């Protein structure tokens, strides 16, 4: 039976106004300044967004114009986004890691009239492309001295200009914000795209509000809750789970200082509900593994036995059973003496739920975190349905699945196993791309995800692969590469793995290394080398990976086993175009960049 979902408001502008009014004195954000975490209230948030809207209106930005943001996560991201939305501007976020040509594509395709940028680095990107963007009239810089008062404006100056304008036109802000309608276009979010140019997903106010109401039934929160913001706000998952959902639930958002300080920031924030991507979990697992390896033998053995007991407890829970009383007591003691310390070291000691999305998590990793008392819940979805399709709940979950359909939605499988979804959060289509819209949403309103999966009798969905990524070997066998890649990545030495083998006689893999881990290994083993590339070719390092591949092959069917692999001399990066900003691998560029390496693996036809 489909659960009833009732949005809390008609529009994001209405929800924002209510949040600012009801929680004016409550803390909305915390940000570091001079080593201290400083609060920003909802009242201050509302005043900044209002002034931003006034500044845009004063500069001639009209209802229905498009605006973009190129910045890492910070309070001004939220403030300018809600400023645009309340001024009737359609928001089009851009990944701050994007190159000038990539930024140009989005600004040109959307016809953005204004762009907000974080600093001089991002402003320099705009300077490179502004000559080819005739519709772009304003660039507003949060931090930097490049303002000219004409095209380049300083953030503080825009706020001051907005305050002055609205003091003379006091009704202009309210008129614009209240004019929004439920079915109006709220945002166009460009997918990072593993193939081809990004597509602009059109999302309405209703798409957003309905999604928030659905998620609220799964993971309720209030002012006492905290969340660390570090995943890109330009991605639908972070934008939905922090920026928008905060307006409904009122929790605090703490802004990470940077990607290198996430561990430190998590311990400062101690989030209660947190969204992560699998790579974060993998890094945290690797850190714990290295710590265990450094312990004296007796302590390490005791800790490993406790973790194994925790895994046994988790498996029994999944079967609806409990540990025998004596073993449960042993786990409780381990939780007090060991696991509690581990959670505190990770910043997870106040955690109710750790939600993981954007890519699959290996079952071993899920069981490990459950064993130490960290409840990881996998979620699945896409930009095209405003983020969530299915989710595991705190009281209703199955490890290794991405959960059941979100409240109010419908999921079914097509004949070929493709996951289809229908619900009020399905987008309005792709901006300026009718053909792609028709491929995405059929005549009955079903969104075609492009993902292949299975669904059990309880409605729990398991993703097996992308429809376009399925490998068909020369013998006609269908192989899901993501399943193998998950297993290959479950190693402290491995950063990324890409399985290849379409139309080939066997499966091979390209593997990148965790540079920090292998350098530490080299130091411990007194391995000398002149460059990291040389280290990746060292027999001892290749031997580590060969042993791991052999272990993975023992868990795979014969046709799935990796017969050849190559360790690459560098990791995949956003800058190289081999992964997306959300860390999804881009197979086509990887196959092109490492084509010679792939052919070399298949040169020995007897393998």
């Amino acid at each position: 039976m489909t659960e009833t979902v009732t949005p809390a408001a008609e529009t994001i502008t209405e929800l924002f106004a209510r949040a600012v009014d009801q929680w004016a004195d409550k803390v909305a954000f915390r940000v570091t300044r001079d080593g201290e975490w400083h609060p920003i209230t909802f009242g201050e948030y509302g005043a900044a967004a209002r002034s931003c809207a006034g500044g845009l209106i004063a500069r001639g930005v009209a209802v229905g114009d498009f605006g973009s943001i190129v910045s890492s996560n910070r309070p001004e991201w939220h403030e300018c986004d809600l400023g645009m939305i309340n001024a009737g501007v359609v928001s089009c976020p851009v990944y701050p890691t994007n190159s000038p040509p990539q930024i140009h594509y989005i600004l040109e395709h959307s016809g953005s009239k204004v762009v907000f940028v974080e600093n001089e680095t991002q402003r320099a990107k705009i300077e490179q492309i502004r000559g080819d963007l005739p519709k772009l009239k304003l660039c507003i810089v949060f931090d930097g001295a490049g303002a000219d008062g004409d095209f380049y404006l300083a953030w503080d100056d825009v706020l001051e200009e907005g305050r002055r304008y609205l003091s003379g036109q006091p009704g202009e802000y309210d008129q614009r914000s209240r004019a929004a309608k439920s079915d109006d276009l709220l945002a166009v979010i460009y997918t990072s795209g593993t193939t081809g140019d990004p597509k602009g997903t059109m999302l309405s106010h209703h798409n957003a509000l309905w999604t928030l109401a659905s998620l609220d039934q799964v993971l309720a929160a209030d002012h006492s809750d905290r969340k660390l913001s570090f995943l890109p706000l330009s991605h639908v998952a972070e934008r939905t789970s922090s920026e928008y959902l905060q307006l409904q639930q009122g929790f605090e958002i703490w802004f990470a200082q940077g990607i290198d300080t996430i561990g430190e920031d998590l311990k400062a924030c101690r989030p209660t509900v947190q969204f992560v991507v699998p790579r974060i979990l993998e890094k945290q697992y690797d850190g714990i593994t290295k710590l265990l390896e450094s312990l004296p033998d007796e302590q390490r053995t005791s800790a490993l036995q406790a973790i194994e007991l925790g895994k046994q407890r988790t498996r029994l829970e999944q079967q609806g059973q409990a540990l025998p009383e004596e073993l449960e007591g042993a786990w409780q003691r381990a939780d007090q003496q060991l696991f509690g310390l581990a959670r505190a070291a990770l910043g997870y000691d106040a955690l109710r739920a750790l939600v993981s999305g954007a890519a699959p998590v290996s079952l071993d990793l899920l069981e490990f975190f459950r064993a130490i008392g960290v409840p990881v819940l996998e979620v699945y979805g896409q930009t095209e349905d405003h983020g969530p399709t299915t989710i595991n709940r705190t009281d209703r979950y199955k490890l290794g699945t991405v959960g059941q359909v979100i409240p109010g939605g419908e999921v079914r499988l097509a004949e070929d196993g493709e996951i289809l979804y229908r619900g009020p959060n399905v987008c309005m289509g792709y901006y300026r791309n009718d053909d792609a819209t028709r491929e995405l949403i059929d005549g009955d309103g079903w969104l075609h995800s492009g993902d292949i999966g299975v669904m059990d009798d309880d409605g729990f969905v398991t993703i097996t692969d992308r429809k376009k990524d399925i490998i068909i070997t020369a013998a006609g066998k269908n192989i899901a590469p993501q399943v193998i890649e998950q297993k290959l990545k479950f190693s402290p030495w491995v950063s990324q793995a890409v399985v290849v083998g379409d139309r080939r006689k066997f499966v091979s893999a390209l593997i990148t290394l965790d540079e920090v881990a292998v350098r530490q290994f080299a130091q411990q083993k007194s391995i000398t080398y002149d460059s990291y590339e040389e280290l990746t070719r060292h027999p001892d390092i290749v031997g580590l990976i060969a042993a791991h591949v052999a272990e993975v092959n023992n868990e795979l069917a014969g046709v799935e086993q990796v017969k050849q692999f190559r360790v690459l001399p560098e990791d995949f990066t956003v800058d190289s175009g081999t992964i997306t900003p959300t860390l999804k691998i881009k197979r086509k560029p990887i196959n092109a960049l490492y084509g010679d390496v792939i052919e070399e693996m298949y040169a020995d036809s007897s393998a």
Side-chain angles (χ1 to χ4, degrees):
M1 181 176 171
T2 303
E3 298 169 84
T4 301
V5 173
T6 304
E10 289 292 315
T11 63
I12 287 292
T13 56
E14 179 188 341
L15 192 68
F16 179 64
R18 185 183 304 168
V20 170
D21 181 57
Q22 293 180 342
W23 305 323
D25 297 327
K26 300 286 186 180
V27 174
F29 307 133
R30 289 190 189 269
V31 62
T32 51
R33 296 181 189 137
D34 301 322
E36 299 290 334
W37 289 91
H38 289 264
I40 298 172
T41 66
F42 275 95
E44 292 169 322
Y45 178 14
R50 181 185 183 92
S51 296
C52 174
L56 295 177
I57 297 168
R59 288 279 174 160
V61 178
V63 173
D65 282 342
F66 283 59
S68 294
I69 310 169
V70 190
S71 172
S72 59
N73 299 15
R74 53 190 291 165
E76 292 89 346
W77 207 108
H78 293 241
E79 291 163 358
C80 78
D81 194 40
L82 268 298
M84 285 196 291
I85 293 169
N86 278 284
V89 177
V90 178
S91 175
C92 302
V94 180
Y95 288 101
T97 52
N98 278 9
S99 66
Q102 291 170 324
I103 296 172
H104 177 274
Y105 178 85
I106 294 175
L107 297 188
E108 189 282 328
H109 191 268
S110 66
S112 287
K113 189 170 183 178
V114 58
V115 59
F116 293 84
V117 299
E118 180 170 19
N119 50 30
E120 288 297 310
T121 299
Q122 301 297 349
R123 189 184 76 87
K125 295 179 184 179
I126 301 301
E127 182 63 22
Q128 290 184 46
I129 60 179
R130 62 177 290 199
D132 296 322
L133 295 168
K135 291 186 178 180
L136 186 63
K137 302 302 181 185
L138 295 172
C139 177
I140 299 169
V141 188
F142 296 147
D143 298 328
D148 59 14
D150 182 21
F151 179 79
Y152 293 111
L153 305 176
W155 168 249
D156 288 342
D157 291 343
V158 170
L159 297 187
E160 178 57 33
E161 188 172 342
R163 284 190 286 268
R164 288 199 308 269
Y165 178 84
L166 292 177
S167 67
Q169 305 284 339
E172 184 74 14
Y173 175 87
D174 290 340
Q175 180 180 342
R176 287 214 187 185
S177 65
R178 291 173 182 171
K181 300 292 187 293
S182 176
D183 293 332
D184 284 352
L185 182 60
L186 169 68
V188 174
I189 298 181
Y190 284 81
T191 59
S192 52
T194 55
T195 59
D197 288 327
K199 293 189 286 289
T201 305
M202 297 188 292
L203 298 165
S204 69
H205 284 263
H206 183 67
N207 289 152
L209 269 297
W210 187 92
T211 303
L212 302 183
S214 180
L215 289 176
D216 193 47
Q217 294 184 202
V218 177
L219 289 171
D222 58 29
H223 305 304
S224 64
D225 287 290
R226 298 175 302 280
K227 180 183 185 299
L228 184 69
S229 175
F230 61 87
L231 297 173
L233 277 163
S234 41
H235 189 273
V236 71
E238 184 69 19
R239 197 178 193 190
T240 301
S241 66
S242 64
E243 182 187 20
Y244 289 167
L245 194 56
Q246 183 199 44
L247 305 180
Q248 177 152 321
Q249 297 181 335
F251 51 80
E252 288 186 16
I253 294 174
W254 294 45
F255 291 95
Q257 301 169 74
I259 195 69
D260 296 330
T261 64
I262 290 173
E264 173 189 338
D265 295 334
L266 281 169
K267 284 186 281 187
C269 175
R270 299 176 62 237
T272 54
V273 177
Q274 184 64 42
F275 186 82
V276 296
V277 292
R279 192 63 185 141
I280 298 296
L281 300 176
E282 292 162 4
K283 289 287 189 183
Q284 291 171 333
Y285 171 80
D286 290 346
I288 294 174
T289 300
K290 291 183 179 70
L291 178 61
L292 290 174
E293 290 172 351
S294 69
L295 295 175
D297 290 347
E298 185 176 345
Q299 291 183 29
R300 181 173 65 254
T301 299
S302 177
L304 291 174
Q305 288 174 344
I307 290 170
E308 192 54 43
L309 177 61
K311 289 182 178 180
Q312 182 183 350
R313 182 176 187 263
T314 295
R315 291 164 190 155
L316 286 172
E317 282 181 347
Q318 287 286 273
Q319 299 167 11
Q321 303 176 40
L323 271 177
E325 186 174 339
E326 181 179 343
L327 292 180
E328 176 64 22
W331 184 86
Q332 293 291 345
R333 288 191 294 275
D335 188 58
Q336 293 174 6
Q337 299 168 8
L338 178 64
F339 300 152
L341 294 176
R343 292 194 297 272
L346 293 171
Y348 291 159
D349 53 318
L351 200 68
R352 297 204 315 276
L354 189 64
V355 182
S356 176
V361 184
S362 73
L363 182 59
D364 288 336
L365 203 63
L366 292 168
E367 288 185 340
F368 170 81
F369 276 101
R370 283 273 170 180
I372 66 171
V374 177
V376 180
L377 302 170
E378 282 196 272
V379 63
Y380 160 73
Q382 45 266 309
T383 305
E384 289 81 359
D385 63 5
H386 217 289
T389 298
T390 62
I391 190 170
N392 281 287
R393 310 186 189 195
T394 54
D395 61 344
R396 198 189 312 168
Y397 67 90
K398 287 186 182 180
L399 299 187
T401 79
V402 292
Q404 299 168 310
V405 67
I406 61 171
E410 301 174 79
V411 163
R412 68 179 180 88
L413 301 181
E415 290 184 5
D416 62 358
E418 182 179 12
I419 296 168
L420 308 182
Y421 173 78
R422 185 165 63 184
N425 54 333
V426 171
C427 69
M428 303 164 72
Y430 292 124
Y431 186 59
R432 295 175 55 191
N433 197 335
D434 293 341
D435 290 342
T437 297
R438 283 189 288 269
E439 291 179 9
L440 176 70
I441 307 169
D442 65 26
D444 294 322
W446 289 98
L447 184 154
H448 290 244
S449 70
D451 292 306
I452 300 295
V454 295
M455 186 163 54
D456 67 16
D457 292 340
D458 296 320
F460 284 85
V461 174
T462 301
I463 310 297
T464 56
D465 223 298
R466 287 291 293 171
K467 189 173 180 178
K468 294 179 180 178
D469 293 343
I470 293 294
I471 290 173
I472 303 176
T473 67
K477 300 292 186 180
N478 284 19
I479 294 172
Q482 283 190 17
V483 174
I484 305 171
E485 289 161 357
Q486 282 181 57
K487 294 180 180 294
L488 289 172
K489 287 170 62 180
F490 193 67
S491 161
W493 316 114
V494 175
S495 175
Q496 296 283 356
V498 176
V499 168
V500 296
D502 197 45
R503 312 299 173 183
R504 307 278 194 169
K505 295 198 305 185
F506 56 86
V507 170
S508 296
L510 300 172
I511 294 174
T512 70
L513 303 179
D514 184 308
E515 183 173 348
V516 173
V518 296
R519 285 188 186 274
Q520 290 175 346
F521 177 83
Q523 184 177 15
Q524 293 166 2
K525 298 297 182 181
S526 300
I527 297 172
T528 59
Y529 56 94
D530 293 328
S531 66
Y532 176 67
E533 181 176 352
E534 180 184 335
L535 178 61
T536 63
R537 297 195 301 264
H538 193 280
D540 287 358
I541 300 299
V542 176
L544 282 176
I545 304 305
H548 176 57
V549 170
E551 290 178 3
V552 169
N553 280 340
N554 289 333
E555 302 175 18
L556 300 172
V559 71
E560 297 173 320
Q561 292 179 355
V562 177
K563 306 298 185 184
Q564 292 277 347
F565 72 89
R566 292 292 184 271
V567 176
L568 299 179
E570 65 277 316
D571 206 348
F572 303 135
T573 64
V574 174
D575 288 342
S576 69
T578 49
I579 57 173
T580 72
T582 52
L583 307 183
K584 296 186 181 75
I585 58 173
K586 302 178 75 169
R587 296 182 190 275
K588 188 174 180 180
I590 289 171
N591 288 336
L593 186 60
Y594 299 103
D596 292 344
V597 178
I598 293 170
E599 291 304 323
E600 178 190 318
M601 289 193 289
Y602 288 99
D604 182 3
S605 60
S606 64

